[in-house]
Amino acid sequence: MTQDVEMKDEEALPQAPLPSDSASILQHLKEGASFIEAASYTKEVRRIARAVRLTIQLRRKLTAPLLSAFLDYALLPGSEAHARLSAYLPKDNRHGMEVDNDDAATSAVQAPAKHILPELEIYCYLLVILFLIDQKRYDEAKACSSASIARLKNFNRRTVDVLASRLYFYYSYSYELTGNLAEIRGNLLALHRIATLRHDELGQQETLLNLLLRNYLHYNLYDQAEKLRSKAPRFEAHSNQQFCRYLFYLGKIRTIQLEYTDAKESLLQAARKAPFAAQGFRIQCNKWAVLVRLLLGEIPERIIFMQRGMEKALRPYFELTNAVRIGDLALFRNVAEKFAATFSKDQTHNLIVRLRHNVIRTGLRNISISYSRISLADVAEKLRLISTNPIADAESIVAKAIRDGAIEASLDHSNGWMVSKETGDIYSTNEPQAAFNSRIAFCLNMHNEAVRALRFPPNPHKEKESAERRERQQQEQELANHITEDDDDDF
């Protein structure tokens, strides 16, 4: 916006002076609007991304008078967008003082009309939605986000895509807060199809795909989520946050489908790539990663549960890990009953049920290491099996563990014994080689991902070539002028 338009708008809608802090925040919002306006004319999307980052920093400081003042600045007073968004702000404190309606209407008519950029209009929608969500006015946020999506369908500009991806997220989030997430699934699928057909390269595809996966997983529709994920077109991730979400959802799907190795890799990568400030997301990743490692027969390190700010949230999983580590089935039952509400809230109760077999196998492995020969009755007692015929259950458990290769032992059915075999030297096997190979593969994979994540200025080689070309043309021009001057002197 030009300086003349700003001054005339301020004269047309007089307001009481805002406090210094609010005036500073308003100035920052105007600065973000200038970034968006410049990006709209120059087609530089990075300026819009910068404005969005600035807005997120100011999110908690937004107030109704502040937003009202910014709407008067960014939108044409009396326009449809201005009236629609102003309706969501409290009418008693939108302005610092009351302004006569007739005078305000006259001033609005006298003010010169200005063209409303689509990017600025969508940005105003985003600000109002953030304000409504922070004020816990979820129903109004849902209505405002629905109106913004309907308005967004009228635009097909690449400079709107960055703001659109943010709007899509809060559109889904507002419906999730009101418990109506299933209502927008069809609309999200249609938006994802449109973004795919337009070959969006600025984050809409990955944002909408993650929102759809979250929608399916919210209702435990893992098969449908996997079908969508497998058939969705491949694209390069542009946002680290969206890529982390995708890895987390992929890890949950792989876990439910019993593909624990792939699930572990995805969950650990999501936890490692997540920003340090996203503590809640990192806690969820660690919860699922701990369970997956336990299902794989691994025992997570204690330092995982001692991370700063995560001790309390991971306490149930720490006690669960301790029960699995020592192979105590009774302790495992007590922990599962004690934290049943927590596991149900985290949607990990089904995985806890799967862990019972791992607890029995761990206890059996400890018994086989400690005893060269032990009766099946003592095995059942040490495992604390509760059944009508614990000896028969112990025999079947031992037989299955021997068949799966979990323990090196043999069954003496006639005497009712389990005879353990002598453990050989592990370094004479291929296990150390396999362990080193997995570590090397992990390090190489991390290096390759770090290289792919590097960001470079757009077309730096072309800029260098153009600069060299201009310099060469300038030298040739100087040489030609010099030759001409020499010819004139000779003449």
Side-chain angles (χ1 to χ4, degrees), residues 59-60 62-64 67 84-90 124-146 170 173-174 177:
R59 173 178 178 177
R60 301 298 179 185
L62 295 179
T63 60
L67 284 178
R84 186 185 297 114
L85 291 176
S86 298
Y88 293 107
L89 302 178
C124 292
Y125 271 107
L126 178 62
L127 289 175
V128 174
I129 292 172
L130 289 175
F131 172 75
L132 294 175
I133 291 178
D134 291 340
Q135 296 295 317
K136 301 187 185 303
R137 297 160 57 185
Y138 300 135
D139 291 330
E140 297 181 38
K142 183 175 71 171
C144 184
S145 62
S146 300
Y170 290 110
Y173 186 54
S174 61
L177 291 173

Side-chain angles (χ1 to χ4, degrees), residues 319-339:
E319 296 189 14
L320 189 70
T321 301
N322 186 48
V324 175
R325 181 182 61 84
I326 63 179
D328 192 338
L329 196 57
L331 180 60
F332 174 78
R333 293 195 196 98
N334 294 336
V335 172
E337 293 174 0
K338 179 181 178 181
F339 299 104

Side-chain angles (χ1 to χ4, degrees), residues 153 156 158 168 184-200 204-210 212 216 228 231-233 235:
K153 291 180 179 178
N156 184 15
R158 300 285 70 80
Y168 292 148
I184 62 171
R185 189 179 301 155
N187 200 8
L188 289 177
L189 287 169
L191 292 171
H192 182 263
R193 181 169 60 251
I194 293 172
T196 304
L197 293 175
R198 291 176 178 176
H199 300 285
D200 166 61
Q204 283 197 57
Q205 284 192 61
E206 54 187 354
T207 301
L208 289 168
L209 178 60
N210 285 335
L212 285 167
Y216 284 124
L228 172 67
K231 295 181 180 179
F235 52 85

Side-chain angles (χ1 to χ4, degrees), residues 12 20 23 89 105 109 180 225 269 276 290 342 357 366 389 422 437:
S20 59
L89 302 178
V109 172
N180 302 318
Q269 190 176 0
F276 183 78
V290 165
T342 303
H357 179 68
N366 294 336
N389 191 358
E422 295 184 3
N437 182 63

